[in-house]
């Protein structure tokens, strides 16, 4: 199994920044791509940023230019730096991995970390 622990959320003023972290444990050798998703109240979960095993990065239009995703494969960590936060960034943020080992779920999720942006 792959276990993910998200951290770094909190209450931030509009215009501020924060850094989210995800620590993977267990069968981390099975992890290929990693990503951050978020889910705001009353909305569907959406992709925020994605980084492939090869290091290719994609951002959602809503955060492009305001976010930086990074990973350390050796340490099993994933980070998301968000800048110029606004109210629309308020959501629960989830770390996600894609796994390629037999008998493992194809994806794993962290427990989520709440980000609240105050105006």
């Amino acid at each position: 199994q792959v276990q993910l622990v998200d951290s770094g959320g909190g209450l931030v003023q509009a215009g501020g920044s924060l850094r989210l972290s995800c620590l993977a444990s267990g069968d981390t050798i099975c992890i290929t791509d990693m990503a951050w998703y978020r889910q705001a109240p009353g909305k569907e979960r959406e992709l925020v940023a994605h980084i492939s095993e090869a290091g290719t990065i994609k951002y959602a239009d809503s955060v492009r230019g305001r976010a930086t995703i990074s990973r350390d494969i050796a340490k099993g960590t994933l980070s998301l730096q968000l800048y110029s936060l606004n109210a629309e960034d308020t959501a629960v943020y989830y770390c996600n991995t894609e796994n390629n080992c037999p008998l493992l779920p194809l994806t794993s999720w962290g427990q989520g970390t709440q980000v609240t942006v105050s105006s």
Side-chain angles (χ1 to χ4, degrees):
Q1 298 292 326
V2 173
Q3 293 85 36
L4 304 174
V5 177
D6 307 329
S7 62
L11 179 63
V12 185
Q13 286 192 334
S17 62
L18 58 69
R19 184 181 182 89
L20 304 179
S21 297
C22 173
L23 177 64
S25 62
D27 296 316
T28 58
I29 194 172
C30 300
I31 296 173
T32 56
D33 297 358
M34 302 184 78
W36 285 99
Y37 285 75
R38 68 185 181 186
Q39 187 166 19
K43 296 186 177 181
E44 294 186 353
R45 191 171 297 189
E46 64 176 3
L47 178 67
V48 178
H50 177 276
I51 182 167
S52 73
E53 187 176 24
T56 301
I57 292 174
K58 296 180 180 179
Y59 294 104
D61 290 343
S62 58
V63 301
R64 187 173 293 113
R66 302 190 297 116
T68 301
I69 188 172
S70 61
R71 68 186 289 182
D72 187 322
I73 294 177
K75 295 182 179 179
T77 60
L78 177 72
S79 298
L80 180 69
Q81 183 79 44
L82 290 170
Y83 311 90
S84 301
L85 289 162
N86 56 64
E88 286 67 41
D89 295 316
T90 294
V92 178
Y93 286 71
Y94 298 90
C95 175
N96 168 268
T97 66
E98 297 179 23
N99 313 314
N100 70 351
C101 288
L103 303 182
L104 257 64
L106 293 178
T107 62
S108 299
W109 293 92
Q111 83 285 1
T113 184
Q114 175 71 49
V115 173
T116 302
V117 182
S118 63
S119 57

